[in-house]
Amino acid sequence: MNTTPRNYHCKDEELPVICRFVHLSLQRDLADFTAYSPKFNDEYAAAFKTNIDAVAELAIPATETKELKRITAQLNDTMDKLAEPLLHLEGYIKLAKAELPLSVADFGISPLRKKIHGKDAEGVLHNLRIVAANIQKYETVLTEQGMNKEFKTQIETALASITTDNEQQNKIISSRRILAEENLNQFNELYEQLTEICNIGKIIYKTSQPGKALDYTFADLKKKVRLERKPETK
């Protein structure tokens, strides 16, 4: 187990993204940085870029990123396609009336819809298992209302598919986390360089150009990254 402390307060995959923003700002303002200290030159900026690329490959391996996107898209598609079967199931439950002692919410449909809407795979799995179990338990009553074997199979197939995709998704995310932990020194070194650039950037621009100083403020950069990544994550 790696006992090296994590010096940065953001997600592993966010660190290289934040650093890329700062690298762009550094390139834009390199003349001002060089005037402040000759340490900040083209070689320094190039070395920073090299370190960013190395850490990015550790935090977000290209091959795994492509596979994760594919799995996530497939997972979301399977969840979205549950909308019509759930609507039909709701109809069968209402037709059953007193013969079925559960409401639509108690059957698990209402909470399942909420989890699907929120793209919460873990929540979808939990509630879909409840729905599948209730279909099994009340199969006779529901069949009398029109539910056929193909409908039951459709729910079971979706459950199996979501389970597999969710496991694969978690496996990739776990693998990334382990890889980052094994190379934590490299992440910390990049963060140290980021901090050095940000500190000097704020010194240079704090009074003369406060707007530019924000480009070197870690808290603001982290917010920016999370806002830009949110639509992609959803």
Side-chain angles (χ1 to χ4, degrees):
M1 181 179 177
N2 193 335
T3 57
T4 304
R6 181 181 265 94
N7 296 335
Y8 49 96
H9 300 289
C10 64
K11 296 177 182 178
D12 295 327
E13 64 270 20
E14 290 173 341
L15 182 60
V17 181
I18 291 170
C19 287
R20 291 199 194 282
F21 280 123
V22 173
H23 180 257
L24 287 172
S25 298
L26 177 63
Q27 285 187 308
R28 178 195 66 197
D29 304 326
L30 193 56
D32 292 339
F33 273 77
T34 305
Y36 181 84
S37 170
K39 176 179 181 176
F40 299 99
N41 52 30
D42 290 328
E43 289 75 18
Y44 182 96
F48 183 43
K49 173 69 163 53
T50 299
N51 291 340
I52 294 170
D53 291 341
V55 168
E57 184 55 30
L58 291 171
I60 320 171
T63 53
E64 287 189 355
T65 297
K66 186 176 180 180
E67 179 64 6
L68 188 59
K69 283 185 176 181
R70 184 194 68 78
I71 292 171
T72 301
Q74 183 171 283
L75 185 59
N76 290 341
D77 183 59
T78 304
M79 292 191 294
D80 288 340
K81 285 180 178 176
L82 283 169
E84 186 174 349
L86 291 179
L87 188 62
H88 288 189
L89 180 58
E90 182 179 346
Y92 295 139
I93 293 169
K94 289 178 178 178
L95 285 173
K97 298 178 182 177
E99 294 179 59
L100 206 159
L102 298 179
S103 66
V104 172
D106 293 335
F107 205 93
I109 293 176
S110 299
L112 176 55
R113 280 180 174 143
K114 289 180 181 178
K115 297 301 181 181
I116 292 172
H117 180 73
K119 295 292 183 284
D120 178 356
E122 301 284 351
V124 168
L125 273 177
H126 173 72
N127 288 284
L128 186 55
R129 288 188 181 114
I130 293 173
V131 169
N134 282 327
I135 289 174
Q136 180 70 31
K137 185 175 181 179
Y138 299 105
E139 183 175 2
T140 301
V141 175
L142 293 169
T143 299
E144 290 173 354
Q145 312 310 316
M147 187 187 80
N148 55 34
K149 290 183 178 180
E150 287 75 17
F151 180 90
K152 184 183 174 185
T153 300
Q154 187 178 7
I155 296 295
E156 291 171 347
T157 300
L159 179 58
S161 177
I162 293 170
T163 299
T164 300
D165 287 341
N166 188 55
E167 287 174 352
Q168 285 296 108
Q169 198 177 50
N170 289 337
K171 184 178 178 181
I172 291 174
I173 292 170
S174 177
S175 174
R176 284 181 174 181
R177 184 167 57 249
I178 292 170
L179 186 62
E181 288 175 355
E182 289 174 347
N183 295 274
L184 198 49
N185 286 332
Q186 202 165 340
F187 281 75
N188 283 338
E189 287 171 8
L190 178 63
Y191 178 68
E192 185 178 346
Q193 191 173 16
L194 170 70
T195 302
E196 181 176 67
I197 296 168
C198 286
N199 285 342
I200 300 305
K202 284 183 284 189
I203 288 171
I204 295 172
Y205 299 115
K206 185 174 182 179
T207 55
S208 62
Q209 298 184 65
K212 273 192 176 183
L214 292 177
D215 292 340
Y216 299 97
T217 303
F218 186 81
D220 285 89
L221 289 163
K222 186 164 66 172
K223 287 179 184 177
K224 181 178 181 181
V225 167
R226 289 181 177 176
L227 283 172
E228 291 196 357
R229 286 172 61 86
K230 193 173 182 181
E232 178 185 336
T233 304
K234 289 181 69 176

